[in-house]
């Protein structure tokens, strides 16, 4: 699954505003049948999305099965989203389903990093703002401007560290980000080889 560049997205936001949603809720271990990034979206939130464990009959009470949110590409969540195990499959499943941004008051740090490496923008906003956004659609996430906005003109700033913004805006994974500095790396190696030639024997 190639990481797609992200600059600005206006889309339906699906509210799943619960605190401490862990990675096993995002994708239960029974749904992880391979190490591939593909084929995981059907297992996304499987424990809540379907009426029976292991089944595929949609539970009409779960927000993902509401036709209004059928094309949601933004997820609204509660505090400490992505806690629990460090499984990267959680970010893979969210990305394959089509989510490009998650708005939450806070994220588990490992999960947050997995989102960035898989093209999902993790936006931290106050819980009261998340509640306000949940009552409105569509939502615009502008990574270039660093804002989240609503059709009524309401807007809130958010921040990401420079390296994360670069990865998301350009659609880079960690290896590609490093490769951008190949000239600097080569220059360092050449200078180091002159000072410590025995290292390169």
């Amino acid at each position: 699954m190639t990481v797609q560049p992200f600059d600005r997205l206006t889309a339906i936001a699906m509210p799943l505003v619960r605190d401490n949603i862990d990675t096993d809720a995002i994708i239960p271990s029974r749904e992880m049948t391979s190490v591939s990034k593909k084929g995981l979206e059907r297992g996304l939130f499987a424990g809540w999305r379907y009426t029976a464990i292991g089944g595929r009959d949609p539970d009409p009470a779960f927000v993902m099965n509401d036709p209004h949110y059928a094309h949601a590409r933004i997820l609204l969540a509660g505090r400490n989203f992505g806690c629990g195990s460090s499984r990267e499959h959680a970010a893979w499943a969210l990305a394959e389903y089509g989510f490009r941004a998650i708005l939450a008051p806070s994220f588990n740090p490992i999960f947050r990093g997995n989102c960035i490496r898989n093209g999902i923008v993790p936006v931290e906003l106050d819980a009261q703002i998340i509640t306000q956004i949940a009552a409105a659609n569509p939502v615009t996430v502008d990574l270039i401007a660093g804002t989240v906005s609503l059709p009524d003109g309401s807007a809130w700033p958010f921040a990401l560290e420079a390296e994360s913004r670069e990865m998301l805006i350009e659609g880079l994974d960690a290896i590609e980000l490093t490769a951008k500095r190949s000239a600097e790396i080569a220059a360092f190696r050449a200078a180091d080889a002159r000072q410590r030639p025995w290292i390169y024997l």
Side-chain angles (χ1 to χ4, degrees):
M1 183 167 56
T2 303
V3 177
Q4 297 299 313
F6 188 109
D7 50 15
R8 188 175 188 272
L9 171 68
T10 298
I12 297 295
M14 187 185 85
L16 187 58
V17 187
R18 308 179 188 180
D19 292 343
N20 302 311
I21 293 178
D22 64 27
T23 52
D24 194 55
I26 296 171
I27 181 147
S29 57
R30 64 179 176 275
E31 299 289 341
M32 299 173 355
T33 56
S34 74
V35 295
S36 171
K37 291 186 176 184
K38 297 183 178 180
L40 296 170
E41 64 175 309
R42 282 169 51 83
L44 182 63
F45 297 118
W48 299 334
R49 185 176 172 187
Y50 306 115
T51 56
I53 292 175
R56 288 294 185 262
D57 294 324
D59 182 347
F62 185 56
V63 66
M64 268 184 89
N65 299 318
D66 183 335
H68 181 71
Y69 301 110
H71 302 290
R73 300 185 69 199
I74 299 169
L75 179 64
L76 306 177
R79 296 176 179 85
N80 198 28
F81 187 75
C83 58
S85 72
S86 60
R87 67 183 65 164
E88 195 171 4
H89 293 71
W92 294 351
L94 288 159
E96 188 181 31
Y97 183 81
F99 286 116
R100 294 303 316 276
I102 303 172
L103 280 54
S106 60
F107 295 88
N108 170 274
I110 294 175
F111 174 81
R112 182 180 183 276
N114 287 339
C115 283
I116 292 165
R117 286 188 290 274
N118 288 281
I120 300 172
V121 182
V123 177
E124 293 190 13
L125 293 173
D126 186 82
Q128 291 182 333
I129 296 173
I130 300 291
T131 299
Q132 183 175 343
I133 292 172
N137 262 309
V139 177
T140 297
V141 177
D142 190 329
L143 185 54
I144 305 298
T147 59
V148 172
S149 59
L150 299 178
D152 67 4
S154 301
W156 302 271
F158 70 93
L160 282 177
E161 56 277 7
E163 185 176 283
S164 297
R165 289 184 78 255
E166 183 179 3
M167 291 177 71
L168 289 162
I169 290 170
E170 297 186 31
L172 304 174
D173 61 25
I175 294 173
E176 292 166 332
L177 183 67
T178 302
K180 285 187 65 177
R181 305 186 67 176
S182 57
E184 295 173 57
I185 294 168
F188 170 83
R189 284 175 57 87
D192 191 51
R194 289 192 295 271
Q195 292 180 9
R196 302 185 304 160
W198 61 89
I199 297 294
Y200 297 85
L201 296 177

